[in-house]
């Protein structure tokens, strides 16, 4: 279908002449039928602060499209607030929403034979959901990020939403009183925008800017600043030019572009969820990419940005320091980026960065000088072993003890584990195992921010390990390993662990090992039976039937033919 659109992009209205009456009803005039019709996928909602400012951006983009000679057709798509649903059964819908968003954008654009799409999203799954649809359709496209939230402030410190989760752990362990807990809660999220650290939303916006699917600087702008609205309008103009030139996503989202995105993610200390999402998007666009590619790139890219959750600063600080273009220029100068990769502006990466200073400004501390990195290698390590033969993802930035061996404390759900932490039943040296939270077993692969934050709040972040076939929030840090595959629900080894078993997490040697001999594991495997699915009807049941392993991106359309 995308090949057919190449021939009809500018003269789209001619092919639609039998349906002109319907188009006139939504505002088309005689001169509009020869213009490209551009879908404007609007993620506005008041469900979450991440998306509540998007309506203004959509209006500016709509005007920009009209001014540039296109006919915009705005439609809505959904969002789930991870921060609000975190720790509840509702969080199972979060990753599912990524594919619902992708399906909805694809359905409208293909169903209405639109010539291009401008997608605007804010919360975590809006971004990969939009890019999945864009990758599937391969029509001229651009992504506009809704923008980051500004930090809250309390007692001289910057706050993010993670501060509130950690405060719960501090309160439960008696380190703060209820008044302090309430004060942090009230100040953590002061307005519109996505979570302020280099959590999942800002990680994915940075990745898409690095890939060339968003405008330079747009990934770190604050949601409430005027420059964000200006950027949305400029994005509209750039997209119309891409339509005229038939610059398509497959020309931009190449293997080199994905490598650039992973390189930037490592340099900024981004979220573990980026592994899952980039694997899914690469699958949709047809670019070979595996979980092992992240480990290869990690080995050559240092972490040069000091950003929360394990660092000091937030995304707005990175923006003031020069944003993603400054980070990319440093990486380009070191030969770590593909400078000839194309971007949506029609310029290559090298051309886009030509005027950016070679080194970060000396008056800022967010972006380190090359010879003084925060960590000498990337922070997202791919661990394998008998507990994760397909792989798992560990975020090792800020970890004082990258190797730990201890007794397993086994929990069949996130809620069970959180209760044990808050009841002070977890001690230093324990390795928590949270299972049956994977893509199929959850279903939906919930994020374990509540337990990990409680561990940090209780002062156990450097002495307790945690592994799960679920995910982690971009705000998580500590000795934690997620995306363990194969997951428990399909018979993965994580489902065979017993209370008290010895487990080794060795980030230095990229090992995740259950220290039980093969004969014993074989007996346990023979005795294991798959549990009943938790959902038999509805979207979660459908998702569980279709979803692939997390090691493949947890996609829902793999090998359906």
């Amino acid at each position: 279908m995308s090949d057919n659109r190449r021939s009809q992009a500018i003269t789209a209205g001619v092919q639609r002449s039998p349906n002109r009456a319907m188009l006139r009803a939504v505002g088309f005039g005689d001169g509009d039928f020869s213009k490209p019709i551009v879908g404007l996928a609007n993620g506005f909602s008041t469900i979450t602060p991440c998306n509540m400012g998007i309506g203004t951006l959509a209006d500016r983009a709509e005007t920009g499209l009209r001014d540039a000679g296109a006919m915009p057709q705005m439609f809505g798509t959904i969002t789930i607030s991870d921060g609000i649903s975190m720790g509840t059964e509702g969080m199972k819908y979060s990753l599912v929403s990524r594919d619902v968003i992708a399906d909805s954008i694809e359905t409208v654009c293909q169903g209405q034979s639109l010539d291009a799409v401008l997608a605007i999203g804010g919360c975590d799954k809006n971004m990969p959901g939009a890019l999945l649809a864009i990758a599937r359709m391969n029509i001229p496209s651009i992504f506009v990020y809704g923008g980051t939230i500004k930090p809250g402030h309390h007692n001289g410190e910057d706050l993010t939403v993670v501060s509130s989760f950690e405060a719960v752990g501090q309160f439960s362990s008696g380190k703060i009183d209820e008044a302090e807990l309430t004060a942090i809660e009230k100040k953590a999220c002061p307005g519109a925008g996505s979570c302020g650290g280099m959590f999942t939303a800002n990680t994915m916006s940075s990745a898409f800017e690095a890939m060339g699917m968003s405008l330079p600087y747009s990934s770190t702008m604050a949601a409430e600043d005027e420059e964000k609205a200006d950027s949305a309008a400029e994005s509209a103009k750039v997209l119309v030019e891409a339509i005229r030139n038939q610059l398509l996503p497959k020309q931009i989202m190449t293997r080199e572009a994905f490598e650039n995105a992973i390189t930037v993610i490592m340099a900024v200390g981004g979220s573990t969820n980026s592994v899952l999402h980039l694997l899914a998007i690469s699958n949709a666009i047809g670019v070979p990419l595996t979980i092992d590619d992240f480990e290869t790139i990690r080995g050559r890219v240092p972490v040069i940005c000091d950003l929360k959750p394990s660092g000091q600063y937030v995304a707005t600080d990175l923006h003031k320091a020069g944003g993603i273009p400054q980070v990319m220029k440093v990486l380009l100068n070191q030969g770590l980026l593909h400078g000839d990769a194309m971007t949506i502006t029609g310029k290559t990466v090298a051309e886009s960065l030509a005027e950016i200073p070679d080194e970060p400004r000396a008056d800022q501390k967010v972006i380190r000088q090359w010879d003084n990195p925060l960590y000498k290698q990337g922070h997202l390590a791919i661990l394998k072993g008998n507990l994760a033969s397909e792989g798992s993802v560990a975020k090792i930035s800020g970890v004082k003890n990258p190797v730990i061996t201890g007794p397993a404390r086994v929990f069949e759900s996130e809620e069970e584990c959180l209760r044990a932490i808050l009841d002070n039943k977890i001690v230093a040296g324990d390795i928590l195992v949270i299972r049956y939270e994977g893509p199929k077993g959850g279903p939906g692969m919930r994020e374990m921010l509540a337990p990990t934050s409680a561990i940090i709040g209780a002062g156990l972040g450097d002495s307790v390990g945690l592994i799960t076939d679920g995910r982690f929030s971009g705000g998580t840090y500590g000795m934690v390993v997620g995306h363990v595959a194969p997951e428990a629900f399909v018979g993965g080894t994580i489902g065979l662990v017993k209370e008290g078993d010895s487990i080794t997490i060795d980030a230095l040697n990229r090992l995740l090992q259950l220290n039980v001999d093969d004969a014993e594991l074989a007996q346990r495997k023979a005795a294991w039976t798959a549990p009943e699915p938790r959902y038999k009807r509805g979207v979660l049941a459908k998702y569980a039937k279709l979803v692939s392993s997390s090691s493949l991106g947890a996609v829902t359309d793999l090998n359906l033919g």
Side-chain angles (χ1 to χ4, degrees):
M1 187 168 290
S2 59
D3 289 337
N4 183 45
R5 279 204 184 84
R6 292 188 187 115
S7 65
Q8 60 174 300
I10 304 302
T11 58
V14 175
Q15 283 77 18
R16 297 185 178 85
S17 54
N19 303 318
R20 286 190 178 192
M22 296 287 285
L23 292 172
R24 288 185 186 279
V26 297
F28 277 63
D30 290 344
D32 295 328
F33 292 101
S34 61
K35 298 175 182 178
I37 301 178
V38 179
L40 205 168
N42 181 359
F44 167 76
S45 78
T46 58
I47 286 176
T48 171
C50 312
N51 288 45
M52 69 182 191
I54 286 177
T56 299
L57 304 185
D59 290 342
R60 286 292 301 276
E62 183 178 39
T63 300
L65 288 167
R66 291 186 189 278
D67 291 346
M71 283 302 291
Q73 298 287 276
M74 191 182 299
F75 62 92
T77 186
I78 68 160
T79 194
I80 296 294
S81 173
D82 291 4
I84 295 172
S85 65
M86 196 75 69
T88 74
E89 193 76 358
M91 185 62 192
K92 292 181 177 181
Y93 288 85
S94 171
L95 184 58
V96 176
S97 76
R98 181 191 74 177
D99 291 70
V100 174
I101 292 164
D103 292 349
S104 69
I105 294 174
E106 177 191 358
T107 298
V108 173
C109 291
Q110 301 285 57
Q112 299 302 124
S113 301
L114 301 180
D115 299 304
V117 65
L118 183 153
I120 310 179
C123 205
D124 293 4
K125 306 310 176 294
N126 300 168
M127 285 165 274
L131 264 287
L132 276 173
I134 287 167
R136 293 173 188 171
M137 298 184 296
N138 196 38
I139 58 176
S141 308
I142 194 167
F143 182 78
V144 176
Y145 180 38
T148 185
I149 197 171
K150 294 180 179 180
H153 302 284
H154 181 63
N155 290 341
E157 294 186 6
D158 285 345
L159 300 179
T160 68
V161 66
V162 175
S163 306
S164 183
F165 280 88
E166 291 178 1
V168 172
Q170 293 171 325
F171 174 72
S172 297
S173 59
K175 295 186 176 183
I176 61 173
D177 60 20
E178 189 169 357
E180 180 73 359
L181 174 63
T182 301
I184 293 171
E185 173 195 315
K186 289 181 175 180
K187 298 176 182 178
C189 297
S194 300
C195 301
M198 191 48 68
F199 309 153
T200 301
N202 287 323
T203 297
M204 298 315 299
S205 68
S206 298
F208 296 164
E209 181 179 328
M211 290 178 74
M213 290 303 296
S214 296
L215 293 189
Y217 295 103
S218 64
S219 66
T220 53
M221 292 175 178
E224 296 178 318
D225 287 352
E226 184 61 27
E227 66 175 348
K228 172 47 66 177
D230 293 341
S231 179
E234 180 62 23
S235 296
K237 296 177 184 177
V238 168
L239 177 58
V240 173
E241 189 63 24
I243 298 170
R244 294 192 177 103
N245 296 324
Q246 278 301 282
L247 180 55
L248 302 174
K250 282 191 175 181
Q251 297 167 261
I252 299 170
M253 296 165 66
T254 60
R255 166 74 187 205
E256 290 74 20
F258 280 96
E259 290 185 0
N260 285 349
I262 297 169
T263 298
V264 168
I265 288 166
M266 295 296 177
V268 301
S271 166
T272 54
N273 286 308
S274 62
V275 178
L276 196 75
H277 298 324
L278 289 184
L279 287 172
I281 296 164
S282 67
N283 176 270
I285 199 80
V287 168
L289 191 73
T290 71
I291 195 170
D292 295 320
D293 290 320
F294 289 81
E295 182 61 37
T296 299
I297 294 173
R298 182 186 80 85
R300 61 177 182 248
V301 180
V303 180
I304 60 172
C305 294
D306 188 3
L307 294 164
K308 291 179 181 293
S310 55
Q312 298 184 60
Y313 300 100
V314 295
T316 50
D317 296 320
L318 175 59
H319 190 65
K320 294 171 187 174
I324 295 302
Q326 182 63 79
V327 175
M328 292 181 69
K329 186 60 175 284
V330 172
L331 295 168
L332 181 67
N333 287 343
Q334 295 298 322
L336 294 172
L337 289 183
H338 299 282
D340 57 351
M342 182 56 63
T343 74
I344 187 62
T345 65
K347 295 180 179 180
T348 65
V349 166
E351 290 169 342
S352 297
L353 300 176
E355 303 300 318
I356 305 299
D358 287 333
E359 296 181 355
R361 298 195 321 270
D363 65 345
Q364 59 79 43
K365 297 181 180 180
V366 185
I367 308 172
R368 298 285 194 99
Q369 300 298 321
W370 183 257
D371 60 0
N372 183 33
L374 205 63
Y375 304 100
K376 293 182 179 179
Q377 290 185 316
H379 63 301
L380 297 181
I382 305 303
L383 276 53
K384 292 188 174 182
N386 68 354
L387 260 173
S389 59
E390 294 179 11
S392 60
V393 184
K395 188 174 186 180
I396 59 176
S397 53
V399 174
K400 293 181 181 178
N401 301 312
V403 181
I404 181 174
T405 296
R409 302 293 308 279
V410 181
F411 303 95
E412 309 299 334
S413 70
E414 176 188 6
E415 288 87 351
E416 284 187 21
C417 182
L418 179 61
R419 194 174 305 115
I421 298 168
L422 296 180
D423 289 344
N424 299 313
K425 293 180 179 179
I426 303 302
V427 299
D430 285 345
I431 296 184
L432 313 185
V433 179
I434 306 177
R435 62 192 183 190
Y436 294 101
E437 290 285 6
K440 287 183 176 292
M445 208 178 178
R446 286 192 292 182
E447 293 179 351
M448 305 291 121
L449 180 58
T452 57
S453 297
I455 289 169
I456 297 295
L460 296 170
D462 294 320
S463 58
V464 166
L466 189 154
I467 70 170
T468 181
D469 50 10
R471 296 182 295 132
F472 293 116
S473 163
T476 293
Y477 61 102
M479 181 50 91
V480 296
V481 185
H483 307 203
V484 172
E487 63 174 291
F489 190 81
V490 299
T493 304
I494 189 173
L496 308 179
V497 179
K498 292 185 177 180
E499 185 81 8
D501 282 348
S502 173
I503 291 177
T504 295
I505 304 172
D506 185 345
L508 298 179
N509 292 299
R510 301 182 299 282
L511 177 68
L512 185 62
Q513 187 77 13
L514 177 62
N515 301 312
V516 173
D517 65 57
D518 291 343
E520 170 65 17
L521 284 180
Q523 290 181 1
R524 294 184 188 181
K525 178 71 173 177
W528 179 86
T529 56
E532 281 289 309
R534 288 171 168 160
Y535 289 83
K536 303 293 181 66
R537 300 290 298 273
V539 65
L540 291 182
K542 290 189 289 184
Y543 183 85
K545 284 279 189 183
L546 294 172
V547 69
S548 72
S549 168
S550 60
S551 65
L552 300 174
V555 296
T556 54
D557 59 352
L558 188 67
N559 299 325
L560 292 180

